[in-house]
Amino acid sequence: DVNNRDFQIVWFAAFLGAISMVTKFYGFQQLGVTYTTLLLLIVPVASTWLDSKMNNQPVKRRTVVAFAIILACVIYATLSQTI
């Protein structure tokens, strides 16, 4: 049996998933596959960062280095797209 709180969480997660898919398809159409995929790489970075803050766990050094590389790629792609 599912209580009301769990049901709300499932609906909220489904809503975020639907928004994510619509945004992804819009990005593919307007920005292109490569640039949209690069921007979608930010999602795991934000998710891991938020998880570490909520659980009060430190982030490993190699994870921080990976985040920096991903963000550098996204910034480079953004700047090269506008120039």
Side-chain angles (χ1 to χ4, degrees), residues 8-70:
Q8 289 175 350
I9 291 172
V10 168
W11 272 102
F12 183 68
F15 178 74
L16 288 180
I19 295 294
S20 171
M21 289 302 292
V22 169
T23 305
K24 186 186 302 185
F25 291 140
Y26 175 78
F28 286 151
Q29 183 179 21
Q30 298 297 321
L31 302 174
V33 174
T34 306
Y35 190 63
T36 301
T37 303
L38 268 177
L39 288 176
L40 290 174
L41 287 174
I42 294 175
V43 173
V45 172
S47 154
T48 304
W49 178 76
L50 185 62
D51 179 54
S52 70
K53 292 298 178 190
M54 289 175 66
N55 294 326
N56 294 326
Q57 295 179 350
V59 180
K60 295 179 183 176
R61 183 179 302 232
R62 70 181 189 184
T63 306
V64 173
V65 171
F67 290 169
I69 291 171
I70 290 170

Side-chain angles (χ1 to χ4, degrees), residues 2-13:
V2 178
N3 62 23
N4 191 27
R5 172 90 171 127
D6 292 338
F7 190 71
Q8 289 175 350
I9 291 172
V10 168
W11 272 102
F12 183 68

